[in-house]
Amino acid sequence: MRKRNESVTVEHERSAAAAAAAAVPGPLDKGCSLRRSLRLPASAAAEGMKRPLGRRYGLWFRLRKLMLWLLGVYIAIPFLVKLCPAIQAKLVFLNFVRVPYFIDLKRPQDQGLNHTCNYYLQPEEDVTIGVWHTVPAALWKSARGKDQLWFEEALGSSHPVILYLHGNAGTRGGDHRVELYKVLSSLGYHVVTFDYRGWGDSVGSPSERGMTYDALHVFDWIKARSGDNPVYIWGHSLGTGVATNLVRRLCERETPPDALILESPFTNIREEARSHPFSIYRYFPGFDWFFLDPITTSGIKFANDENVKYISCSLLILHAEDDPVVPFHLGKKLYNIAATSRSFRDYKVQFVPFHTDLGYRHKYIYRSPELPRILREFLGKSEHEHHH
C-alpha cells in the first residue's frame, strides 16, 4: 500500500515538473514566443497601412479642391470684368489705393515740405480738388508762416512754374512725388500739383474726362497768376495721358504751355494694359474682348500716340530701361511717333533713356544726378523759343 502511494506521488511530481518545463520557454523558443506575442493581428496591421494612405489621399483631395477653386475664380474674373466695366476702370485708376496711409494732406510740412501751401479749388459744381504749391527753394525763408494769398502772389515772381500730374494710385503726398517736388524746387521752379477728383481728399468720381478738366482748371488758375513766367507741364505714368490730353486741348485753343515733359509714358492705355508685366491674363483667350474693350467702353483711352500729332510745343521724354510698370519700348515708340509728327517740326523733341544699371525703374528718375543738367539744357532752349 505504501509502495503504491509512493509511486503515485512520484508520478504526480514528474507530471508537475514536465508541465513546469513546458511552461518555461527554452533558449531557442524564447525569441519566437516573444515575436509571436508582439505580432499584431491581421486587422490591426491593415488599419495601420490605411492610415498614411488615408492622410495622403485627404491631402491630395484638399489640394485638388483648392486648385479647382482657384481655376474657377481665374476663369470667372474675365466674365465679371466684361459684365461690369467699372471694375476695369477701378483697376486703371487705382484711386482707392491711398499710399502712404495716415498722412494729413492739409499739412504738407509733415512730409518735409515747409515751403508748401495746401489749397482747394473747385473745377466744377460738386467737385473739389486738393492742391499743393511748393515755391522755389530761394523763397523758402520768405514762405515760412505765409498764407494762401502770399503763395498765389508768389507765382508772379520771376521763376518758372511746373504743373505736375501724377500717376494712378496714391496721392499728391506720395514719397517719390514729394522727393521730385524737392528736386524741382531746388532747381528754382514753382511746383503746383493736385489730386484728381476721386483721389486723396479730392471730391468727385474719377474719369478721364474729369481728370483732364481738373488739369485744365489748375493750368488756367496758374496762368491767371504767373504773368509772363514760363509754365511747363510734367506728367508721370498715367499722368502722361492726362498731360497729353491737356496739352492737345491747350494747343487747339492756341494757348500751349512752354514745354511738355513726359516721364515713363505709354502710347495708349490699351497697349499699356496689353504690355503690363503684372497682367496675368495677357495670354488668356479673348484678352482684348474681356479686358481691353471694357476699358474703352468706360471711356478710357489716354491716347498719347494720337495726342502728340496735335501738340505744338517742345517735348521731353524721360524713361528708365528697367521700368517694370510701363515698358521702355512704349516710351521709345511714343518718341518715334512724335519725332516724325508735323506738329513738332518747329519744336525740340528729345528722348532721354536711363540705363538699367542705374535702377531708377518706374518712379525714381528724380534720383539722377544728371536730371538738373537735362532740365536746364532742355527748358533753357524752351524758354528761348518762348521769348522769340
Side-chain angles (χ1 to χ4, degrees):
M1 188 73 180
R2 186 180 297 167
K3 186 182 288 187
R4 183 179 175 185
N5 290 340
E6 288 176 355
S7 64
V8 170
T9 303
V10 169
E11 185 67 27
H12 178 72
E13 289 175 353
R14 285 177 182 170
S15 298
V24 178
L28 292 176
D29 293 338
K30 188 174 183 181
C32 296
S33 299
L34 288 173
R35 281 196 295 271
R36 280 197 299 271
S37 66
L38 292 173
R39 189 176 297 157
L40 294 172
S43 59
E47 186 67 27
M49 291 177 66
K50 284 179 182 177
R51 259 186 221 128
L53 287 174
R55 280 196 296 269
R56 286 198 294 269
Y57 178 78
L59 180 63
W60 166 245
F61 177 78
R62 287 193 294 271
L63 184 61
R64 187 176 65 176
K65 189 176 179 180
L66 176 63
M67 291 172 64
L68 288 173
W69 184 83
L70 291 174
L71 180 62
V73 171
Y74 179 79
I75 294 174
I77 285 176
F79 291 95
L80 187 62
V81 169
K82 185 66 179 178
L83 291 172
C84 304
I87 295 175
Q88 189 70 327
K90 284 283 187 184
L91 294 176
V92 171
F93 296 137
L94 291 178
N95 59 300
F96 55 90
V97 179
R98 180 169 173 169
V99 180
Y101 296 99
F102 311 120
I103 70 168
D104 186 354
L105 293 171
K106 297 182 178 66
R107 293 178 51 83
Q109 59 268 32
D110 291 348
Q111 310 307 309
L113 296 171
N114 295 320
H115 52 320
T116 298
C117 186
N118 181 67
Y119 308 147
Y120 289 98
L121 302 179
Q122 191 169 12
E124 295 179 306
E125 189 177 356
D126 299 326
V127 174
T128 304
I129 57 175
V131 182
W132 280 1
H133 172 199
T134 302
V135 297
L139 301 178
W140 182 85
K141 289 184 179 179
S142 303
R144 294 178 66 180
K146 297 299 193 298
D147 60 9
Q148 178 175 336
L149 181 60
W150 183 91
F151 275 83
E152 289 188 34
E153 291 176 348
L155 285 169
S157 63
S158 57
H159 295 274
V161 184
I162 291 180
L163 170 58
Y164 178 78
L165 306 172
H166 68 67
N168 65 355
T171 68
R172 60 191 184 275
D175 294 341
H176 65 283
R177 294 162 187 165
V178 169
E179 293 305 314
L180 179 63
Y181 311 155
K182 292 177 181 178
V183 170
L184 296 177
S185 172
S186 70
L187 297 177
Y189 300 102
H190 289 276
V191 182
V192 177
T193 187
F194 67 96
D195 281 320
Y196 316 105
R197 60 187 71 188
W199 271 260
D201 58 353
S202 297
V203 178
S205 299
S207 67
E208 181 175 353
R209 186 208 68 83
M211 295 164 73
T212 303
Y213 191 81
D214 293 345
L216 178 63
H217 181 81
V218 177
F219 177 86
D220 287 340
W221 180 86
I222 292 170
K223 288 296 289 183
R225 292 158 177 77
S226 60
D228 291 331
N229 295 325
V231 178
Y232 311 121
I233 293 172
W234 184 312
H236 172 244
S237 193
L238 189 68
T240 64
V242 182
T244 63
N245 281 350
L246 169 62
V247 177
R248 175 177 176 176
R249 186 162 178 176
L250 293 176
C251 290
E252 287 173 347
R253 76 177 194 185
E254 298 183 352
T255 58
D258 294 281
L260 171 62
I261 301 167
L262 301 178
E263 179 188 358
S264 307
F266 49 87
T267 47
N268 58 70
I269 200 64
R270 289 179 70 100
E271 273 201 319
E272 158 59 7
R274 189 181 294 114
S275 304
H276 201 295
F278 300 155
S279 174
I280 61 174
Y281 287 97
R282 275 184 293 171
Y283 305 108
F284 192 89
F287 175 77
D288 284 21
W289 187 77
F290 279 112
F291 291 96
L292 302 186
D293 291 350
I295 296 177
T296 306
T297 302
S298 300
I300 304 173
K301 298 179 180 178
F302 291 115
N304 289 337
D305 50 353
E306 187 65 22
N307 288 338
V308 294
K309 297 175 184 177
Y310 300 91
I311 289 175
S312 301
C313 69
S314 295
L315 171 65
L316 172 64
I317 296 178
L318 310 171
H319 213 136
E321 293 178 354
D322 59 337
D323 190 329
V325 178
V326 180
F328 178 78
H329 71 86
L330 291 185
K332 186 68 174 177
K333 182 177 180 180
L334 181 64
Y335 165 74
N336 290 333
I337 294 171
T340 57
S341 173
R342 293 180 58 189
S343 64
F344 285 104
R345 62 181 179 271
D346 297 325
Y347 298 93
K348 184 177 182 180
V349 179
Q350 184 178 351
F351 182 83
V352 180
F354 294 87
H355 196 272
T356 300
D357 294 344
L358 297 171
Y360 296 152
R361 298 170 67 78
H362 183 61
K363 55 188 183 182
Y364 301 114
I365 287 177
Y366 72 84
R367 295 177 178 173
S368 172
E370 295 297 311
L371 186 59
R373 178 190 59 80
I374 293 167
L375 295 178
R376 186 169 56 249
E377 292 179 358
F378 179 80
L379 295 180
K381 180 69 160 51
S382 299
E383 288 177 32
H384 176 77
E385 291 170 350
H386 171 74
H387 291 298
H388 292 77

